[in-house]
Amino acid sequence: FDNLLIGRGRFGLMLREDGRFLDDGVTFRVGPHHYLMSCGTGAAGVVYAHIDRLLQTEWTDLKVYLVNVSAGLATMCVCGPYARDVLGGVETDIDFDESFRFMDFREGRFAGVSVRIARVSYTGELSFEINVARRHALMIWTTLMNAGQNYGITPIGSETSGVLRIEKGFVSPGHEGDNITNPFDAGMAWIVDMEKPDFIGKRSLRRDLDLGGERQHVVGLLPDKHRALVADGSALLPDPGGSGRSGFQGHVTAACFSPTLERTIALALLKDGHHRHGEKVLISGLEQSCLATVTAPVFFDPQGQRMRG
């Protein structure tokens, strides 16, 4: 993050010493020596304790000071094709045109109060996250709902966000990160720089790569039955039609009915999954089983044009 420009953010993974996922999030550079780190929902306490432990036990010479600001801030995300229109309808000195790029953040006045607004996305849509002092949260929420009435704005919860992240194949440390998965298994080699002199988990990742062998990889699944009911945690077994494999093959990490694709989709951890796209596996559930085709884990907008538009 030392080459991150002020006003920009960067997605990052935080690994444990064994090279497995601890959390992920976006870190923004607010000033020359000032960063704002965001974490997964509910993970702020764990991440804070992890960094604090490292500063006290591993890198005591670093002049780094931590402040947990989670309790003092509220965050609201406006996402979808009308996000710019909704935000532009509120009194503000922040410009929401195309110059506000993906992974930018800006500070300014919005509805009369100071805010930080970041252009990041958990849903794969054009999105703007608003950080505001929590005493102003209800006022900002009401302002946004009023500004969005003509655009059909509606609140959504974690279930809807979960559907969108499955469609995009966004990896969740709490689902695809099962204490075995490393970034390479998750198809996230692009984020790991093994040429760096050192980072937490590097030694363990190097061991994984040197040992080789069969590992579970994150894949997508398209059930043959378009409206199949697929439960998270369902076992994956070989195709009875004859794939030549035997025994337990993996499990479903997240599944949903996608209204965008009008069918059931799922993410899963599958043995040697990166090399099995197009192959059939059997999803073995508690009440029903069905065959599914192994695919890449991104089901919609694979180039990310919508969130970068």
Side-chain angles (χ1 to χ4, degrees):
F1 289 95
D2 57 349
N3 63 0
L4 186 63
L5 299 177
I6 295 173
R8 292 284 289 167
R10 181 173 294 156
F11 177 77
L13 289 179
M14 186 172 286
L15 303 180
R16 304 189 316 229
E17 283 84 349
D18 62 2
R20 279 33 177 177
F21 294 115
L22 176 69
D23 194 35
D24 63 2
V26 178
T27 299
F28 300 96
R29 192 166 194 169
V30 181
H33 306 290
H34 184 191
Y35 294 84
L36 178 65
M37 175 181 287
S38 68
C39 312
T41 302
V46 173
V47 169
Y48 180 88
H50 179 67
I51 301 174
D52 192 41
R53 175 180 65 84
L54 293 170
L55 285 173
Q56 293 189 45
T57 62
E58 303 296 330
W59 292 296
T60 57
D61 58 320
L62 294 182
K63 295 181 179 180
V64 175
Y65 306 94
L66 302 177
V67 179
N68 188 341
V69 297
S70 299
L73 295 174
T75 299
M76 283 151 274
C77 184
V78 180
C79 53
Y82 298 116
R84 285 195 181 96
D85 301 282
V86 172
L87 294 169
V90 177
E91 181 183 356
T92 180
D93 59 4
I94 299 174
D95 195 342
F96 293 99
D97 65 9
E98 286 75 8
S99 67
F100 198 154
R101 300 170 298 161
F102 183 61
M103 287 293 182
D104 276 353
F105 88 92
R106 294 179 177 179
E107 297 179 285
R109 305 286 290 180
F110 187 81
V113 299
S114 296
V115 297
R116 280 196 184 108
I117 299 183
R119 195 171 153 199
V120 294
S121 179
Y122 180 77
T123 64
E125 296 291 325
L126 171 65
S127 303
F128 296 88
E129 285 193 1
I130 303 171
N131 286 171
V132 64
R134 70 177 188 175
R135 63 183 178 275
H136 300 307
L138 180 58
M139 182 274 290
I140 293 293
W141 176 271
T142 303
T143 299
L144 290 171
M145 294 303 293
N146 290 336
Q149 280 187 351
N150 293 335
Y151 301 97
I153 196 170
T154 186
I156 66 168
S158 58
E159 290 293 330
T160 302
S161 296
V163 169
L164 293 167
R165 81 100 183 164
I166 295 170
E167 289 180 345
K168 287 291 295 177
F170 288 160
V171 171
S172 168
H175 292 84
E176 290 72 45
D178 66 342
N179 295 321
I180 299 174
T181 311
N182 67 35
F184 302 107
D185 302 332
M188 301 179 73
W190 58 271
I191 205 170
V192 182
D193 181 5
M194 294 298 289
E195 300 303 316
K196 289 175 68 173
D198 195 17
F199 58 84
I200 295 172
K202 179 181 177 180
R203 180 172 176 269
S204 298
L205 290 184
R206 174 51 59 195
R207 179 178 181 273
D208 288 344
L209 295 173
D210 290 344
L211 283 176
E214 191 174 63
R215 295 186 59 83
Q216 291 190 142
H217 300 152
V218 176
V219 298
L221 296 176
L222 293 174
D224 287 1
K225 299 176 183 177
H226 281 209
R227 291 184 175 268
L229 296 177
V230 177
D232 295 1
S234 295
L236 301 180
L237 303 175
D239 176 7
S243 64
R245 297 176 183 265
S246 62
F248 178 78
Q249 299 295 297
H251 69 280
V252 173
T253 58
C256 68
F257 180 83
S258 165
T260 306
L261 304 174
E262 298 184 341
R263 62 164 302 138
T264 298
I265 58 176
L267 298 177
L269 286 168
L270 179 68
K271 288 182 179 179
D272 199 29
H274 290 165
H275 304 107
R276 296 175 66 178
H277 294 180
E279 192 176 306
K280 294 279 189 180
V281 293
L282 180 68
I283 302 175
S284 178
L286 294 176
E287 298 181 0
Q288 59 176 309
S289 299
C290 66
L291 286 173
T293 302
V294 180
T295 71
V298 185
F299 300 97
F300 180 69
D301 188 26
Q303 303 303 319
Q305 293 177 343
R306 292 170 74 98
M307 69 181 181
R308 291 180 170 83

